[in-house]
Amino acid sequence: MWIPSDSEIRSLHERAAPTPEAFALVWTHCEIVCRIAEQFLTPELNADLVRAGCLLHDIGVYRLYGRDGTLDYPNYIQHGLLGHELLEAEGSSRSRCAVSVRVTPASA
């Protein structure tokens, strides 16, 4: 299974972000999540897949920003599905797209 590198994922974030401020906020958050997750890795886990999942988990948030730069908080629960759509539009494989989707009560 192909797993994108950190630089490939960062590039995707940069392309998807509507503003530099949105990029800084979302990318920094994903990096923090990644650093926390790395502390819990075990030998049974694929560290590269965990890392990619952490760095991609909020990629859909960019699609919730309006033209004025405000975040559409009431629809935030949809960011996983929006991330899946974004990755699909980028030509990502289904396995890579699956990394971005979390099942929530509203989407189950």
Side-chain angles (χ1 to χ4, degrees):
M1 168 179 29
W2 174 78
I3 299 171
S5 69
D6 290 7
S7 63
E8 290 170 318
I9 295 170
R10 182 184 171 101
S11 178
L12 177 60
H13 273 267
E14 291 171 338
R15 289 193 309 274
T19 65
E21 295 80 15
F23 167 77
L25 183 66
V26 175
W27 179 250
T28 300
H29 163 72
C30 290
E31 286 183 308
I32 291 167
V33 168
C34 189
R35 285 195 296 269
I36 292 168
E38 287 175 333
Q39 296 175 33
F40 296 97
L41 286 173
T42 63
E44 303 84 41
L45 296 173
N46 181 329
D48 293 333
L49 183 59
V50 170
R51 186 167 183 77
C54 291
L55 293 176
L56 286 169
H57 85 275
D58 269 351
I59 194 81
V61 170
Y62 296 123
R63 293 205 168 166
L64 293 170
Y65 278 91
R67 292 179 191 253
D68 62 354
T70 60
L71 186 62
D72 179 6
Y73 286 104
N75 288 308
Y76 186 80
I77 194 135
Q78 296 178 23
H79 78 280
L81 294 173
L82 295 169
H84 181 273
E85 291 171 3
L86 190 151
L87 291 172
E88 253 185 354
E90 286 284 323
S92 298
S93 69
R94 287 187 96 36
S95 60
R96 180 173 167 191
C97 292
V99 168
S100 71
V101 178
R102 290 182 281 160
V103 176
T104 60
S107 65

